[in-house]
Amino acid sequence: MSRHSPHPHHERTQTQVSQWQHELPADKPYRILKTALNHYHNIAVSFSGAEDVVLVHMAAQIKPGVRVFTLDTGRLHPETYQFLEKVRDTYDIDLHIAFPNAQEVSALVSRKGLFSFYKEGHHECCQIRKVDPMRKILAPFDAWITGQRKDQSPGSRQEIPIVQLDSTFSTPEHPLVKFNPLANWTSEQVWLYIRSEQIPYNPLHERGFVSIGCQPCTRPILPSQHEREGRWWWETDDTHKECGLHSLNVTPS
């Protein structure tokens, strides 16, 4: 087969994704999530320790024992670590925590120190602490579920579909489907659901943190600011702040 020819499995998966994009109700996260969990046995929910605990709450009702994972970059807030344990206990889930490669982290810190991202930008650190571990953890799966929303970033997430062929972690031989059940929900809808269902949430939200990532790279925002302005605030472009996990324009390897 030519290196430019689509792999048959890749074509079949893309056909299924296109069908879901037309058939699934874009504003019904529970329905999208149920379709994903019923269709795929080999699937997992990505839980970042922020407000996408909504997905864990829904998934635990649909499929008890659903696989859930999160990334521990080694630089999270203490409150986030405590929150992870609270969610584990609340939903009685087997929460898998993925860590970056210790040798790669050590090499980066030895060469450039603990805060190189303030001078050189966040992408190298995020590649080592987030993207590479995510690639490893997703390798065995056929699909994953994320808490991405269109209103999270005006520059990089406005076109998020409810389901897509993952452009970052797929390969021609192993296409990976990504479900974004909350894509069309607003932050207000998420928080109305959290309060109505009495879902646990990260206590940092009560201190003005909206988008929560690593401790050195996250800060509270003012009422007039967009939520992503609290991430990597020292960088100039407030509308394209991504760590690489959800790069929509990355060509599959």
Side-chain angles (χ1 to χ4, degrees):
M1 181 180 295
S2 167
R3 63 186 298 268
H4 299 293
S5 300
H7 194 278
H9 185 34
H10 189 282
E11 288 186 319
R12 289 194 298 271
T13 303
Q14 183 59 70
T15 299
Q16 177 66 80
V17 166
S18 298
Q19 182 178 341
W20 279 327
Q21 287 174 343
H22 287 94
E23 294 180 355
L24 289 175
D27 60 342
K28 303 293 184 184
Y30 190 90
R31 171 86 175 275
I32 298 166
L33 197 55
K34 187 173 183 179
T35 296
L37 293 173
N38 286 342
H39 185 86
Y40 288 102
H41 171 71
N42 196 20
I43 188 172
V45 177
S46 173
F47 167 46
S48 72
E51 72 273 20
D52 58 2
V53 66
V54 165
L55 293 174
V56 177
H57 178 83
M58 291 182 178
Q61 296 177 47
I62 297 168
K63 189 175 183 179
V66 61
R67 284 175 283 189
V68 181
F69 70 86
T70 191
L71 297 178
D72 179 1
T73 63
R75 304 298 294 271
L76 303 180
H77 297 78
E79 292 87 349
T80 298
Y81 289 111
Q82 293 165 8
F83 174 53
L84 294 176
E85 289 307 302
K86 185 173 184 179
V87 170
R88 185 202 302 269
D89 293 340
T90 299
Y91 296 102
D92 191 26
I93 57 175
D94 183 12
L95 178 61
H96 180 74
I97 301 178
F99 301 91
N101 181 285
Q103 292 182 332
E104 293 179 2
V105 172
S106 178
L108 173 65
V109 172
S110 296
R111 284 185 291 111
K112 298 185 176 182
L114 285 165
F115 302 99
S116 60
F117 37 82
Y118 288 144
K119 295 180 180 179
E120 301 182 4
H122 68 277
H123 293 290
E124 182 179 20
C125 187
C126 284
Q127 180 71 36
I128 292 172
R129 293 182 184 270
K130 291 185 175 183
V131 180
D132 292 344
M134 183 68 86
R135 189 178 303 280
K136 184 177 180 180
I137 197 172
L138 288 175
F141 290 106
D142 296 319
W144 66 307
I145 299 162
T146 87
Q148 287 192 104
R149 302 191 322 273
K150 291 179 180 178
D151 73 339
Q152 286 175 320
S153 177
S156 61
R157 298 194 177 186
Q158 286 184 325
E159 303 301 322
I160 295 172
I162 58 172
V163 57
Q164 64 190 130
L165 195 60
D166 193 303
S167 60
T168 303
F169 298 109
S170 287
T171 67
E173 295 76 20
H174 186 193
L176 180 70
V177 176
K178 178 161 66 172
F179 290 88
N180 308 300
L182 301 176
N184 292 296
W185 265 22
T186 64
S187 177
E188 181 181 9
Q189 286 175 292
V190 169
W191 282 98
L192 283 172
Y193 188 87
I194 287 174
R195 289 194 294 269
S196 66
E197 297 293 321
Q198 298 184 321
I199 297 173
Y201 57 84
N202 193 321
L204 289 173
H205 289 301
E206 296 177 348
R207 291 161 44 191
F209 291 82
V210 180
S211 179
I212 302 172
C214 292
Q215 187 275 331
C217 305
T218 306
R219 70 177 183 181
I221 60 171
L222 298 172
S224 61
Q225 290 182 294
H226 191 275
E227 66 180 76
R228 297 297 279 189
E229 291 184 67
R231 302 288 292 275
W232 309 295
W233 65 89
W234 63 91
E235 298 180 10
T236 56
D237 190 348
D238 290 329
T239 63
H240 291 82
K241 294 192 172 180
E242 297 290 344
C243 60
L245 298 181
H246 303 295
S247 300
L248 301 181
N249 59 347
V250 176
T251 302
S253 58

